[in-house]
Amino acid sequence: MKDVEKGRKEGVPGVEGVVVDGRVWGKPLVRLSRPAPLMGTVFIGVIDRGTNVLQVRPTTLCNLSCIFCSVDAGPSSRWRQAEFIIDDVEWLVTWVEEIARYKGVRVEALIDGVGEPTTYPRLVELIRRLKESPWVESVALETHGQSLDERVVREWERAGLDRINLSIDTLDAMKAKMLTGVEWYDLERVKKLAEFIARETRIDLHVTPVWIPGVNDEDVPQVVKWAVEIGAGKRWPPATVQKFLEHRHGRKPPGVREIPWNVFWRRLREWSRELGVNLIPSMEEWGMRYARKVPEIYREGDVIRVVLVAPGWLKREVLAVSADSKRLVTVVGLKRWNPGDEIDVVVLRSKDNIYVARPA
Ligand code: SF4
C-alpha cells in the first residue's frame, strides 16, 4: 500500500519471525514470517472453527472506513494501535496444510480478515499456492471490491480463485460513499466488475450485503435481486445477507442498534419469499461440513509462559508468542512491557485456538 512508510526494522530480541517495520497511518506495521506461529489470534493467521472452511487472514490493513465496520479497520480507526501483515506466503500455506492434514479433509481456504484482503501485496501468489496444495479444495476471497480491475481479476482467475464474496451494501452511489466512509468509492465501477466476474470469468460471484437496520432496509433486497440478475451463484448460492454486529471496539452509525437474531432470521425468510432466492442456505448448499477441529493447546485458567513481541492490534493489548512457539497469544492488562520480555500469563479466553491472557 502506498501509505506504508518505510522505517527502521526492529526485530524482537530472542524471537524470530516478528519484525516491526515502518508505520502505516501512524501505527506500527508488524510483519510476521517463519518461524512465528500463525495461529492464536482473531486478527492474523489461520482460524479453524471446526468445519472444512479455514479462515486465512494475511493482513489487517484496509483502505476503506466503513461507518458500520465491526472491526474498526482503516485509516480512521480509533481503537487500533498496530497493523499486521504476513510476509511469508509459503509459511502461511504450510500452516493451512498442516491444519488441513490434522483435520483429515481438503478445505476451503477463505481469505478474509479484520481488514481488506485485496490490500495484501502477495495475494496472487497466495491464491496460486493455496490452489496448488493437495489439501485445498477451493479458494475464496472476501472483498468490498474497491481495488479491483479486470486485469487483477484475470490474474486471480489464472491463479485458480474459485469464488469472490463481494460486499455491496446498496445500489445507490452516494449512499455507497457514505457507507464506505470514503469519497473515492466508485460503486458503478465495482458493479461493472461484478458483472464481468459473473459473466466472463470462471470465478463464481457471491454477493454479501450487510443489513444495517434503518439505514439500508430498502437497498438489501435490491442488491440481492441485482446479484441474481447478473449471474452470481454459478456454483455457490448467489447472495447471503450479513448481520450488522455491534462490537465494543467497532463502529456504529448514529442511532443504529443491533437487532436480535430472531428478528434478523425472520426478515431474511421474508426477503427469501419475496425475491424467490434462498437467503438462508444450508451447510450442504454451501458445501460446508463439520470436520475435526484442531484442539486448543491451552485451557482457560492455565498459566503459560510467553514472550512479548509487539503491540496488539487494539489499544491496551500486546501480542505474544508462547514460549513453546506453538501459538500467538493476546495479552491484556500490562502497564509496561518491552519486546523480548518473558512473562507468565493466565489464559482468560481459549476458543477456536484464539487466546487472550493476562499477567499471572
Ligand atoms: S467493513 Fe471491511 S471494508 Fe469496510 S472498513 Fe471494515 S474491514 Fe474495511
Side-chain angles (χ1 to χ4, degrees):
M1 292 177 70
K2 285 199 199 90
D3 306 281
V4 177
E5 305 157 23
K6 273 287 164 198
R8 191 165 62 87
K9 284 196 184 190
E10 293 170 45
V12 180
V15 176
E16 285 181 64
V18 183
V19 168
V20 180
D21 180 16
R23 300 178 81 78
V24 56
W25 303 312
K27 303 178 187 90
L29 179 64
V30 182
R31 295 179 177 274
L32 300 179
S33 59
R34 190 185 301 252
L38 297 184
M39 194 175 214
T41 77
V42 75
F43 56 87
I44 197 86
V46 186
I47 302 176
D48 170 23
R49 299 192 195 268
T51 71
N52 62 325
V53 177
L54 291 183
Q55 290 169 274
V56 181
R57 304 191 150 180
T59 180
T60 59
L61 291 166
C62 179
N63 51 2
L64 293 185
S65 292
C66 300
I67 60 169
F68 54 86
C69 181
S70 62
V71 291
D72 190 31
S76 63
S77 172
R78 286 173 50 233
W79 288 99
R80 291 197 183 188
Q81 60 171 356
E83 301 286 352
F84 296 79
I85 193 164
I86 296 172
D87 273 340
D88 190 338
V89 168
E90 285 304 318
W91 187 228
L92 181 53
V93 174
T94 300
W95 272 81
V96 170
E97 289 182 323
E98 287 303 310
I99 294 168
R101 184 174 289 122
Y102 175 85
K103 295 170 77 66
V105 294
R106 297 182 73 217
V107 295
E108 169 170 300
L110 172 62
I111 304 171
D112 69 352
V114 298
E116 166 62 44
T118 58
T119 61
Y120 187 52
R122 301 179 70 180
L123 185 56
V124 175
E125 189 185 346
L126 176 60
I127 294 168
R128 185 183 311 112
R129 284 291 298 109
L130 285 168
K131 193 63 187 178
E132 283 167 1
S133 169
W135 286 102
V136 174
E137 192 174 356
S138 57
V139 181
L141 171 73
E142 284 195 4
T143 179
H144 256 79
Q146 70 272 30
S147 311
L148 307 192
D149 60 38
E150 289 189 11
R151 185 189 54 81
V152 168
V153 171
R154 284 289 185 212
E155 274 187 338
W156 294 347
E157 184 184 31
R158 278 194 293 276
L161 185 65
D162 294 285
R163 190 181 76 245
I164 292 175
N165 291 357
L166 180 66
S167 212
I168 287 190
D169 313 306
T170 176
L171 296 182
D172 177 315
M174 293 313 290
K175 201 170 196 176
K177 288 180 192 291
M178 182 272 286
L179 289 173
T180 54
V182 292
E183 261 305 304
W184 54 264
Y185 183 83
D186 184 347
L187 178 71
E188 282 313 309
R189 199 170 144 269
V190 177
K191 279 171 61 188
K192 280 205 183 83
L193 280 158
E195 290 172 27
F196 171 73
I197 293 162
R199 292 178 176 152
E200 296 186 41
T201 74
R202 288 189 303 275
I203 304 171
D204 198 1
L205 181 72
H206 174 75
V207 178
T208 59
V210 179
W211 174 31
I212 310 152
V215 176
N216 65 346
D217 305 325
E218 309 289 316
D219 308 67
V220 169
Q222 289 169 6
V223 171
V224 172
K225 200 160 166 275
W226 165 80
V228 173
E229 280 166 8
I230 65 169
K234 287 179 257 200
R235 181 174 157 199
W236 283 276
T240 44
V241 178
Q242 301 182 72
K243 186 175 188 284
F244 165 74
L245 298 171
E246 251 184 88
H247 276 286
R248 196 154 59 97
H249 297 128
R251 293 196 283 268
K252 190 167 84 75
V256 172
R257 300 299 305 266
E258 183 179 339
I259 52 166
W261 280 100
N262 62 332
V263 176
F264 176 75
W265 294 124
R266 192 167 62 228
R267 177 57 77 90
L268 258 56
R269 281 194 293 274
E270 286 165 9
W271 278 332
S272 296
R273 269 197 305 277
E274 285 164 24
L275 299 165
V277 180
N278 179 12
L279 291 173
I280 315 177
S282 63
M283 278 180 77
E284 291 73 35
E285 285 166 301
W286 259 115
M288 258 176 101
R289 52 198 179 276
Y290 292 107
R292 186 159 74 134
K293 189 160 114 174
V294 175
E296 282 79 18
I297 304 183
Y298 320 117
R299 309 218 165 272
E300 286 170 17
D302 283 358
V303 176
I304 60 171
R305 193 136 186 95
V306 299
V307 184
L308 307 176
V309 293
W313 70 310
L314 298 178
K315 287 175 183 167
R316 297 194 280 276
E317 294 184 352
V318 177
L319 182 68
V321 174
S322 58
D324 58 16
S325 295
K326 289 183 176 164
R327 293 289 184 268
L328 296 168
V329 177
T330 296
V331 181
V332 296
L334 273 170
K335 289 212 171 70
R336 274 185 299 277
W337 66 280
N338 289 303
D341 284 354
E342 250 189 87
I343 62 167
D344 288 334
V345 294
V346 185
V347 177
L348 299 175
R349 254 178 289 149
S350 160
K351 185 163 187 262
D352 299 334
N353 267 290
I354 296 167
Y355 301 101
V356 178
R358 65 162 171 78

